């Protein structure tokens, strides 16, 4: 073949993975500098791997091939796919829930860049694409540039259903970048996106990006409490240490106060109770002072009246702050109010605000407007 080349052009630096199917190595060509580093995927050229060889061959000569795709050639009984190598931190390391302090908006922007990068290399064979877009292969450098580690180590895992694997791995990337928000129970819009990725129902990455942006906006408007909890969790070791110190000090002070009270109680018990005589009447310091007795004027038969809770009604289209909520399967207005407001008294408010009956069956995917609790209170006070 005309594209046969020798591997002697490259000097091996390290082996990232070695198996019967593929060897993945880092090497340099020319001078050993950061600009001359490459990742080499070496695969046996046999009948079993011929389909993959053909796919990669045509991908290499595509006009829209990845910019990092440097060389593709055959040498002896192996074919080689060589890509530019960049040493940087993976998103799995940088955005780990326990160490990440990057703000939500910044993470969403970086996630958008990642998905755009993946869309640009979607001309690669789907099993190769699925193999390289795992979270540990998505890298981000100090200048916040996104790079991909073209490591074919897991390509065999995705031969059965590579297209589904692509979107499953994209779902893993989204979860890695937005883990704190994805774990919040009330971020249902984000849960829907992750579930669709898991099932591979998206027809394209741009379609996924559109839905993800909507979910991110809903998450931003409703997950401030989750963000605070997330920030607290980052400082949990310090909080735990401070809690132990305060608890220890409180225990010592409490024991000291208890010992002091017991000592005084013992001293008082030894004191002689003196009696004072005035005429024929003797008063003792141990007797109860009748003036301290309380006299109840409450009628035992009286009953307290319970304040009746009035239904809250709001006109549809009322100028009031609200949040959008995507109806899920099995949702009712009552269950949504129990989850969102923690109170069933808002059922009539949500129903009338949306112009529907409280008992009406909800269709999954429909967006309900949930009026702000504070706005409702101000409206009622008027």
């Amino acid at each position: 073949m005309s594209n046969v080349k020798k591997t002697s052009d490259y000097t091996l630096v390290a082996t990232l993975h070695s198996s019967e199917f593929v060897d993945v190595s880092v090497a340099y060509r020319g001078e050993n500098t950061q600009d001359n580093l490459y990742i080499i995927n070496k695969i046996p050229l046999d009948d079993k791997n011929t389909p993959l060889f053909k796919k990669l061959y045509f991908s290499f000569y595509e006009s829209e091939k990845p910019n990092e795709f440097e060389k593709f050639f055959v040498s002896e009984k192996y074919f080689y796919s060589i890509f530019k190598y960049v040493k940087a931190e993976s998103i799995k390391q940088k955005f780990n829930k326990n160490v990440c302090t990057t703000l939500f908006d910044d993470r969403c922007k970086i996630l958008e860049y990642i998905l755009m990068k993946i869309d640009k290399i979607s001309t690669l064979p789907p099993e190769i694409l699925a193999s390289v877009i795992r979270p540990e292969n998505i890298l981000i450098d100090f200048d916040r540039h996104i790079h991909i580690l073209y490591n074919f180590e897991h390509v065999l895992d995705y031969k059965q259903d590579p297209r589904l694997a692509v979107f499953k791995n994209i779902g893993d990337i989204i979860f890695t970048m937005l883990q704190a928000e994805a774990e919040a129970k009330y971020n249902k819009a984000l849960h829907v996106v992750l579930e669709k990725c898991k099932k591979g129902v998206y027809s394209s990455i741009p379609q996924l990006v559109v839905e993800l942006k909507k979910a991110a906006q809903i998450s931003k408007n409703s997950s401030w409490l989750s963000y605070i909890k997330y920030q607290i969790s980052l400082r949990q070791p310090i909080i735990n240490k401070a809690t132990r110190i305060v608890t220890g000090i409180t225990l010592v002070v409490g024991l000291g106060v208890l010992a002091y009270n017991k000592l005084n109680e013992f001293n008082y018990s030894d004191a002689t109770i003196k009696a004072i005589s005035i005429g024929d009447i003797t008063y003792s310091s141990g007797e109860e002072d009748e003036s301290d007795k309380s006299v109840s004027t409450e009628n035992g038969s009286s009953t307290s009246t319970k304040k009746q809770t009035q239904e809250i009604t709001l006109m549809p289209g009322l100028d009031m702050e609200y949040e959008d909520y995507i109806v899920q399967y099995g949702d009712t207005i009552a269950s949504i109010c129990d989850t969102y407001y923690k109170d069933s008294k808002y059922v009539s408010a949500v129903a009338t605000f949306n112009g529907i009956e409280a008992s009406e069956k909800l269709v999954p995917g429909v967006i309900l407007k949930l009026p702000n609790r504070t706005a409702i209170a101000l409206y009622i006070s008027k």
Side-chain angles (χ1 to χ4, degrees):
M1 295 181 67
S2 60
N3 63 332
V4 173
K5 297 181 183 294
K6 294 182 179 180
T7 57
S8 58
D9 292 344
Y10 298 90
T11 303
L12 183 68
V13 174
T15 299
L16 301 182
H17 172 78
S18 181
S19 67
E20 182 181 350
F21 174 75
V22 59
D23 289 334
V24 185
S25 306
V26 176
Y28 66 88
R29 184 179 61 184
E31 294 183 10
N32 185 8
T33 63
Q34 289 287 339
D35 295 334
N36 291 324
L37 289 177
Y38 299 86
I39 184 165
I40 302 177
N41 295 278
K42 174 185 174 184
I43 303 174
L45 183 56
D46 52 26
D47 293 340
K48 182 174 62 176
N49 295 325
T50 298
L52 181 61
F53 168 78
K54 291 180 178 179
K55 290 178 183 178
L56 279 169
Y57 180 85
F58 289 113
S59 294
F60 180 72
Y61 290 102
E62 281 278 351
S63 59
E64 297 180 359
K65 72 172 183 177
N67 294 331
E68 299 88 351
F69 203 166
E70 289 285 325
K71 290 184 180 297
F72 181 77
F73 61 88
V74 175
S75 178
E76 297 179 354
K77 296 181 180 180
Y78 297 92
F79 63 94
Y80 296 79
S81 294
I82 302 180
F83 298 80
K84 286 290 292 183
Y85 176 79
V86 175
K87 188 174 182 180
E89 198 172 17
S90 73
I91 61 171
K92 197 167 186 179
Q93 298 168 316
K94 187 174 182 63
F95 297 100
N96 181 287
K97 181 181 176 182
N98 296 325
V99 299
C100 175
T101 57
T102 307
L103 294 176
F104 177 70
D105 284 343
D106 288 343
R107 284 181 282 129
C108 287
K109 183 59 68 176
I110 294 170
L111 178 56
E112 184 179 349
Y113 291 152
I114 291 172
L115 295 179
M116 290 168 60
K117 177 82 171 178
I118 293 173
D119 189 46
K120 286 182 179 178
I121 65 169
S122 57
T123 56
L124 285 174
E127 60 266 42
I128 296 295
L129 183 62
S131 184
V132 302
I133 63 169
R134 297 162 63 93
E136 61 267 27
N137 290 335
I138 308 299
L139 313 178
I140 179 168
D141 61 23
F142 288 110
D143 297 322
R144 299 179 68 174
H145 294 147
I146 304 301
H147 306 276
I148 293 179
L149 184 65
Y150 289 87
N151 180 348
F152 293 3
E153 174 183 348
H154 296 280
V155 68
L156 277 180
D157 301 339
Y158 303 124
K159 278 196 171 184
Q160 296 300 321
D161 196 345
R163 183 186 170 282
L164 176 61
V166 166
F167 283 99
K168 279 186 175 180
N169 285 353
I170 289 176
D172 290 341
I173 291 170
I174 295 171
F175 184 81
T176 298
M177 297 294 297
L178 307 178
Q179 183 175 351
E181 291 74 22
E183 289 179 347
K185 294 182 179 179
Y186 47 86
N187 279 354
K188 293 190 176 180
L190 188 55
H191 297 169
V192 169
V193 172
L194 291 172
E195 188 63 24
K196 285 186 175 181
C197 286
K198 186 177 180 180
K199 294 180 179 178
V201 300
Y202 288 109
S203 59
S204 66
I205 294 176
Q207 180 194 12
L208 165 62
V209 172
V210 170
E211 289 197 16
L212 182 61
K213 282 185 175 181
K214 292 179 181 178
Q217 187 61 41
I218 294 172
S219 178
K220 179 182 177 182
N221 293 338
S222 62
S223 62
W224 62 270
L225 182 59
S226 176
Y227 178 74
I228 292 174
K229 290 180 179 179
Y230 170 56
Q231 292 297 328
I232 291 175
S233 70
L234 297 180
R235 297 155 180 82
Q236 199 61 50
I238 298 174
I239 294 173
N240 290 341
K241 184 176 181 180
T243 302
R244 287 194 296 269
I245 293 173
V246 171
T247 302
I249 293 173
T250 303
L251 183 61
V252 171
V253 172
L255 290 174
V257 171
L258 182 61
Y260 176 78
N261 290 339
K262 285 292 183 182
L263 182 61
N264 285 343
E265 182 182 343
F266 177 75
N267 291 335
Y268 285 138
S269 65
D270 288 344
T272 305
I273 299 176
K274 297 182 179 180
I276 303 173
S277 297
I278 303 177
D280 295 330
I281 302 174
T282 301
Y283 294 93
S284 173
S285 60
E287 292 179 358
E288 184 179 359
D289 187 350
E290 293 293 330
S291 64
D292 291 337
K293 292 184 178 178
S294 61
V295 180
S296 175
T297 59
E298 182 182 356
N299 187 348
S301 63
S302 64
T303 58
S304 61
T305 59
K306 293 182 180 179
K307 185 177 179 180
Q308 299 297 324
T309 303
Q310 296 180 348
E311 289 190 348
I312 305 170
T313 57
L314 305 172
M315 293 295 291
L318 192 63
D319 185 13
M320 179 180 292
E321 289 187 7
Y322 65 87
E323 294 182 7
D324 287 334
Y325 172 81
I326 301 175
V327 174
Q328 307 298 307
Y329 179 78
D331 276 350
T332 63
I333 293 181
S335 68
I336 292 171
C337 289
D338 285 341
T339 302
Y340 186 78
Y341 298 106
K342 308 298 183 185
D343 198 330
S344 60
K345 75 178 182 181
Y346 292 97
V347 170
S348 59
V350 173
T352 54
F353 191 66
N354 287 273
I356 59 177
E357 296 292 331
S359 59
E360 186 172 322
K361 186 175 180 180
L362 301 178
V363 179
V366 171
I367 296 179
L368 280 184
K369 298 175 180 178
L370 303 182
N372 185 277
R373 186 195 298 261
T374 304
I376 294 175
L378 291 173
Y379 175 76
I380 295 173
S381 67
K382 294 178 182 178

